[in-house]
């Protein structure tokens, strides 16, 4: 088999990645490209990329992309999807983006049941700005703005935003996965496939939360970072299906 | 028809496909009109969770090539500024209505013109401007709303339509232009890559020189807008030796005041900027060859007066100012008295 054939159609060739070694973003980009091809929606896809390490997603994904102001991805995705319902709309967001500054947009786009897919990269820090505390930072986790570790009394608790939106009637599909192990990556691909299919069928909002290593800001090697996702992050944020109302929604549609 | 409803009807006739907004007085009737009538016309109405969300929905809708709009009043327009800056950076067309109210802060809901600086200087962060249209009658609200969509598309820029509660709530007869049937082609719109190459819209330009080029490109666009889109009205200026400068609601009040003053033999006229950006600098300069006394009226502490001073910096003229900020509506009588006072001073 020629290597050429394995290159996903919607992943640009001959590009040098700006992501750090061991970063989860690149893995998720590749999965998105693969699933777009497998479900044949790449030609009508529009991805909204966030303020965050993935701001340059259009350097890699060979589909139409619009950049978002910090946190406003799902508002832009709402505008895109309402103005042109034929487009396949993905909002790609980090945890600072989605669960701090963009919380209102996250909650309300989910509550309206917008027919969009949200890919939520949870790396428990603000990656791009240098590793500050995020709403998702674990208790006792050290970051540049929680140097002694996150202190619940002063900094609040890790925010489980995907669990919150999963409870909404407008949210058809929500799953939490990791890209820290080969098994996790497989499950991630399955979850993203389900989420994309939800949108293709017009069943409403779908979200996949990906627990994703940020070795640079966690001050770990890529291997240690993967281990930390499995051993620490996954304890706070349990991977698994959070909601699947697709059958119910299909019946409603029929 | 009321001003707010008129904007809605004109927008629908201009082919506005999506309206995104959040309630705030004194422009609620516009959103309500769109909820009923734009949806009936097959368009999109979304009551957003905030003005911030609304302007970003506008960004998304505009990126697909649809004609889109949002409306608000002063505090809500402040929240939209980040999004307007992105629209300018992306070079996306959109129409933003600001029915100004008294401020700062929550202020009040009465007519005011305190957002002139914000509207004409860009308003959000970064080096950009937004064309600003300031109607002074319900008919003009209709005409300029439709024109706002054209200017937005022609130059790929956000355009602001600015008024206040008086403009929004007053009722006057209005004749609507025929609905627009043909729209300019938008090759740049994101529609999915299809069989072609993928494209992206980004305002992030990390390379300094490239960012600078983008900034100068925007400047050239604004210069072209200034050359081709500057609008103003001259009222009783032919024989005037004294010129009032005012826009919007204030200009209407000025017309009453000018009629009174003329009855007393004062040869006073009005220069009414219809575009606040671009500002009608050239016409002010032409008039300054024969008129040496200018009086600027605003429902603010004095913002547009700066543009008058800038326009006439090289002319030996006297520029006076009279303002009523905070939502106080001056009467024609008050303005007539002010005109009289300045006229006497001028004749000394
Ligand atoms: C309005 C605004 N505030 C702050 C920033 C700076 N900023 C850029 S990205 C970012 C956080 C990114 O963190 P996250 O969303 O977790 O994504 P990651 O980089 O970790 O992938 C911040 C605070 C900004 N661009 N805009
Ligand atoms: S800082 Fe973290 S999230 Fe950003 S590219 Fe590096 S590893 Fe990835």
């Amino acid at each position: 088999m020629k290597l050429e054939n394995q290159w996903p159609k919607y992943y640009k060739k001959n590009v040098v990645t700006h992501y750090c070694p061991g970063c989860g973003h690149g893995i998720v980009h590749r999965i998105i490209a693969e699933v777009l091809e497998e479900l044949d929606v790449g030609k009508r896809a529009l991805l909204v990329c966030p303020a965050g390490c993935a701001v340059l997603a259009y350097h890699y994904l060979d589909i139409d992309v619009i950049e978002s102001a910090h946190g406003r991805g799902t508002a832009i995705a709402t505008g895109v999807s309402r103005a042109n319902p034929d487009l396949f709309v993905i909002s790609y967001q980090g945890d600072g983006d989605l669960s701090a500054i963009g919380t209102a947009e996250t909650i309300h786009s989910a509550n309206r049941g917008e027919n969009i897919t949200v890919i939520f990269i949870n790396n428990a820090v603000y990656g791009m700005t240098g590793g500050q505390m995020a709403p998702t930072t674990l208790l006792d986790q050290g970051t540049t703005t929680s140097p002694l570790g996150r202190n619940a009394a002063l900094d609040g608790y890790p925010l489980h935003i995907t669990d919150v939106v999963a409870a909404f009637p407008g949210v058809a599909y929500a799953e939490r996965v990791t890209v820290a192990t080969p098994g996790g990556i497989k499950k991630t691909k399955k979850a993203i496939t389900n989420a994309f299919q939800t949108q293709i069928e017009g069943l409403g909002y779908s979200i996949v939360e990906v627990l994703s290593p940020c070795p640079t800001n966690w001050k770990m090697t890529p291997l240690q970072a993967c281990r930390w996702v499995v051993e620490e992050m996954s304890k706070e944020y349990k991977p698994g299906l959070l909601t699947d109302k697709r059958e119910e929604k299909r019946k409603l549609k029929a | 028809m009321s001003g707010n409803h008129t904007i809605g009807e004109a927008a629908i006739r201009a082919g506005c496909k999506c309206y995104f907004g959040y309630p705030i007085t004194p422009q609620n009737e516009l959103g309500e009109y769109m909820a009923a009538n734009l949806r009936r016309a097959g368009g999109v109405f979304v009551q957003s969770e905030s003005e911030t969300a609304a302007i970003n929905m506008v960004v998304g809708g505009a990126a697909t090539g649809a004609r889109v709009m949002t409306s608000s009043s002063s505090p809500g327009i402040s929240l939209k500024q980040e999004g307007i800056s992105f629209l300018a950076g992306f070079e996306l067309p959109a129409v933003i209505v600001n029915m100004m109210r008294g401020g700062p802060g929550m202020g009040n809901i009465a007519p005011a013109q305190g957002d002139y600086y914000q509207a004409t200087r860009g308003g959000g962060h970064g080096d950009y401007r937004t064309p600003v249209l300031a109607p002074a009658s319900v008919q003009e609200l209709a005409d300029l709303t439709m024109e706002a969509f054209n200017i937005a598309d022609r130059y790929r820029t956000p355009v602001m339509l600015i008024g206040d509660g008086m403009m929004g709530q007053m009722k006057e007869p209005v004749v609507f232009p025929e609905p627009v049937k043909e729209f300019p082609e938008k090759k740049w719109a994101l529609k999915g890559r299809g069989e072609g190459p993928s494209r992206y819209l980004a305002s992030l330009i990390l390379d300094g020189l490239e960012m600078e080029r983008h900034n100068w490109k925007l400047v050239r666009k604004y210069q072209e807008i200034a050359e081709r889109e500057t609008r103003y009205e001259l009222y009783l200026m032919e024989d005037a030796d004294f010129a009032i400068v005012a826009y919007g609601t204030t200009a209407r009040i000025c017309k009453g005041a000018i009629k009174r003053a003329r009855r007393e033999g004062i040869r006073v006229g009005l220069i009414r900027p219809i575009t606040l950006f671009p500002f009608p600098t050239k016409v002010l300069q032409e008039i300054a060859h024969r008129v040496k006394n200018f009086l600027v009226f605003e429902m603010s502490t004095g913002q547009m007066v700066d543009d008058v001073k800038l326009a006439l910096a090289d002319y030996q003229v006297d520029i006076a100012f009279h303002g009523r900020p905070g939502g106080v509506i001056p009467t024609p009588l008050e303005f007539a008295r002010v005109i009289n006072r300045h006229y006497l001073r001028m004749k000394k």
Side-chain angles (χ1 to χ4, degrees):
Chain A
M1 210 201 308
K2 276 197 294 178
L3 198 64
E4 180 78 12
N5 292 336
Q6 296 176 353
W7 196 267
K9 186 171 165 195
Y10 298 112
Y11 204 95
K12 288 183 181 169
K13 286 181 185 163
N14 306 320
V15 285
V16 180
T17 184
H18 78 281
Y19 294 119
C20 311
C23 174
H25 279 299
I27 303 171
V28 180
H29 283 14
R30 160 114 195 187
I31 294 173
I32 289 173
E34 287 178 3
V35 181
L36 284 173
E37 187 175 352
E38 285 163 20
L39 300 181
D40 197 21
V41 281
K43 283 181 198 159
R44 61 180 181 96
L46 200 156
L47 181 132
V48 186
C49 69
C53 282
V55 67
L56 294 171
Y58 46 81
H59 279 193
Y60 314 112
L61 289 167
D62 209 358
I63 54 172
D64 279 4
V65 174
I66 179 169
E67 161 204 286
S68 167
H70 194 21
R72 314 302 168 205
T74 51
I76 294 182
T78 298
V80 168
S81 157
R82 295 289 188 115
N84 185 352
D86 293 336
L87 287 173
F88 182 84
V89 191
I90 306 163
S91 182
Y92 187 104
Q93 301 181 255
D95 45 0
D97 196 74
L98 181 140
S99 70
I101 193 166
T103 310
E105 284 79 0
T106 301
I107 299 272
H108 289 279
S109 58
N111 190 47
R112 288 189 303 267
E114 296 293 342
N115 195 39
I116 61 175
T117 302
V118 177
I119 305 293
F120 168 28
I121 307 297
N122 179 358
N123 57 18
V125 286
Y126 283 44
M128 190 193 215
T129 40
Q132 294 83 1
M133 180 178 64
T136 46
T137 296
L138 306 189
L139 289 178
D140 296 326
Q141 182 186 338
T143 71
T144 59
T145 49
S146 57
L148 303 178
R150 183 176 191 166
N151 175 338
L154 299 174
D155 308 319
Y157 296 87
L159 183 61
H160 292 231
I161 192 141
T162 314
D163 297 272
V164 174
V165 298
F168 295 176
V171 176
Y173 186 86
E175 182 157 358
R176 187 182 292 118
V177 291
T178 87
V179 285
T181 62
I185 291 172
K186 266 192 164 167
K187 280 188 188 149
T188 302
K189 185 163 176 184
K190 186 81 192 96
I192 290 180
T193 305
N194 287 340
F196 282 8
Q197 257 159 356
T198 306
Q199 186 182 160
I200 293 168
E201 286 184 57
L203 302 178
Y205 191 96
S206 50
I207 178 167
V208 177
E209 173 178 343
V210 184
L211 306 183
S212 174
C214 175
T216 303
N217 286 306
W218 296 352
K219 313 225 172 342
M220 294 178 190
T221 65
L223 207 63
Q224 286 168 330
C226 286
R227 214 170 279 140
W228 195 78
V229 170
V230 174
E231 290 167 8
E232 302 297 330
M233 261 190 107
S234 298
K235 258 193 252 156
E236 178 71 38
Y237 304 104
K238 294 201 176 53
L241 188 65
L242 302 176
T243 191
D244 186 355
K245 309 186 192 82
R246 287 180 296 168
E247 214 28 67
E248 202 180 300
K249 299 226 169 245
R250 276 188 201 112
K251 279 190 198 130
L252 270 175
K253 268 197 107 182
Chain B
M1 203 170 189
S2 81
N4 283 331
H5 285 177
T6 297
I7 299 173
E9 180 57 32
I12 294 171
R13 284 167 184 257
C16 173
K17 187 172 180 200
C18 310
Y19 171 94
F20 305 106
Y22 187 84
I24 183 169
T25 309
Q27 57 79 59
N28 291 317
E29 299 81 9
L30 173 50
E32 288 158 7
Y33 191 90
M34 295 312 239
N37 296 288
L38 182 55
R39 275 190 181 168
R40 196 177 300 142
V44 173
F45 167 87
V46 179
Q47 182 174 316
S48 61
E49 58 272 29
S50 68
E51 289 85 352
T52 311
I55 193 72
N56 284 285
M57 291 175 189
V58 163
V59 170
T64 70
R67 284 193 158 181
V68 292
M69 85 181 292
T70 183
S71 67
S72 190
S73 178
S74 309
I77 295 292
S78 293
L79 279 183
K80 289 186 198 292
Q81 291 302 339
E82 183 195 28
I84 298 174
S85 168
F86 273 79
L87 286 166
F90 288 144
E91 297 192 81
L92 283 178
V95 174
I96 299 133
V97 177
N98 180 6
M99 289 304 191
M100 292 182 279
R101 49 191 253 177
M106 198 82 88
N108 57 37
I109 60 172
Q113 297 182 322
D115 300 352
Y116 181 94
Y117 283 152
Q118 187 197 50
T120 59
R121 266 59 184 170
H125 60 285
D127 247 334
Y128 77 94
R129 297 294 184 102
T130 314
V132 184
L133 304 174
S137 67
V138 173
Q139 183 61 53
E140 223 175 37
L141 278 174
D143 298 340
L144 291 180
T145 298
M146 295 188 77
E147 199 46 29
F149 283 98
N150 293 335
I151 294 173
D153 278 351
R154 201 175 300 141
Y155 301 97
R156 287 185 61 181
T157 176
V159 173
M160 186 172 278
L161 188 82
I162 205 161
D164 54 42
M166 182 124 121
M167 282 288 122
Q169 254 122 23
M170 73 185 182
K171 289 188 176 165
E172 283 181 333
V174 53
V175 181
F176 286 103
E178 282 302 301
V180 180
K181 295 254 159 52
E182 274 174 48
F183 300 99
E185 196 192 352
K186 296 179 178 177
K187 290 210 179 86
W188 48 264
L190 297 182
K191 298 186 156 102
R193 59 174 290 183
E195 303 302 329
S198 63
R199 293 174 306 166
Y200 63 86
L201 272 174
S203 66
L204 178 87
I205 303 176
L206 290 170
D207 181 81
L209 287 174
E210 211 185 308
M211 186 78 233
E212 188 189 33
R213 269 197 295 280
H214 184 59
N215 282 146
W216 288 125
K217 180 184 167 209
L218 294 181
V219 167
R220 284 194 297 279
K221 171 156 87 180
Y222 303 142
Q223 282 165 347
E224 196 188 333
I225 293 172
E227 273 159 35
R228 294 173 51 186
E229 307 295 346
T230 305
R231 280 151 224 238
Y232 55 86
E233 183 204 1
L234 299 182
Y235 174 73
L236 302 181
M237 278 305 297
E238 301 81 17
D239 64 338
D241 58 4
F242 186 22
I244 307 296
V245 190
Y247 71 95
T249 295
T250 315
R252 285 177 75 99
I253 302 168
C254 282
K255 285 188 181 175
I258 286 169
K259 275 186 206 141
R260 277 171 185 273
R262 284 220 163 225
R263 281 204 290 273
E264 289 170 33
I266 300 175
R267 282 187 292 145
V268 58
L270 171 71
I271 305 167
R272 177 170 73 91
I274 297 174
T275 50
L276 305 183
F277 177 83
F279 194 70
T281 300
K282 274 197 195 127
V283 71
L284 275 160
Q285 292 174 344
E286 280 159 21
I287 287 168
H289 286 296
R290 56 186 176 85
V291 176
K292 298 298 166 201
N293 288 273
F294 291 79
L295 173 57
V296 182
F297 281 116
E298 289 178 71
M299 294 196 312
S300 78
T301 54
Q303 300 190 11
M304 183 179 70
V305 63
D306 285 359
D307 279 337
V308 175
K309 286 180 181 163
L310 277 173
L312 303 180
D314 295 334
Y315 294 76
Q316 291 291 330
V317 293
D318 182 73
I319 300 165
F321 171 74
H322 181 80
R324 295 304 302 270
V328 175
I329 310 174
T331 62
L333 182 65
E334 173 186 344
F335 275 180
R337 285 197 182 122
V338 179
I339 291 171
N340 218 328
R341 198 169 71 228
H342 282 281
Y343 193 71
L344 291 177
R345 181 177 62 90
M346 175 184 135
K347 287 293 162 196
K348 262 186 210 154

